[in-house]
Amino acid sequence: MEFLGSSISNSGIDGDGVFTLILAVVAVVVVGRSRLGSWGRKTWIGVTLIGVFVAFLAMGYINDPWMGVDENPPENAEMLVDTGIGLYLTAIGGIMLLAGPLYDKYA
């Protein structure tokens, strides 16, 4: 982002991106530990909760890119923020995590 001659960029693994990365790894471990075939109740609940949290966090940042910033940005700066494709991919990943248990249960 560039505003009044200064620019700011943020990597996807800065801040809350670390949490979503850790949750993705946890989801892989939880699903990997389940047996082939139908998931157990703990796996179903764990993956659902991880999916809800990841999707909620990504949608929150898509809606308000300044979420978690202590200072209120100038009004002009808010319009210049480009969230990038990473947040949308993270939201899709969270939704896919939510779809996994439903697919297991009803497919």
Side-chain angles (χ1 to χ4, degrees):
M1 172 183 80
E2 189 168 331
F3 183 70
L4 297 177
S6 63
S7 66
I8 300 170
S9 65
N10 196 0
S11 174
I13 59 170
D14 291 342
D16 289 338
V18 172
F19 295 124
T20 57
L21 179 62
I22 290 170
L23 289 172
V25 170
V26 169
V28 167
V29 169
V30 167
V31 171
R33 291 195 60 182
S34 69
R35 305 268 185 240
L36 293 176
S38 185
W39 293 357
R41 184 176 181 175
K42 289 181 183 179
T43 303
W44 201 94
I45 291 171
V47 172
T48 301
L49 290 176
I50 291 170
V52 166
F53 186 74
V54 169
F56 177 76
L57 195 59
M59 296 288 199
Y61 275 106
I62 289 170
N63 186 41
D64 180 15
W66 297 95
M67 185 171 78
V69 175
D70 294 336
E71 301 176 10
N72 289 332
E75 288 184 29
N76 295 340
E78 289 183 19
M79 295 175 13
L80 297 174
V81 173
D82 180 22
T83 57
I85 194 167
L87 282 174
Y88 294 102
L89 293 175
T90 302
I92 290 169
I95 292 167
M96 289 177 72
L97 280 171
L98 287 170
L102 296 174
Y103 178 79
D104 175 63
K105 184 168 182 145
Y106 297 111

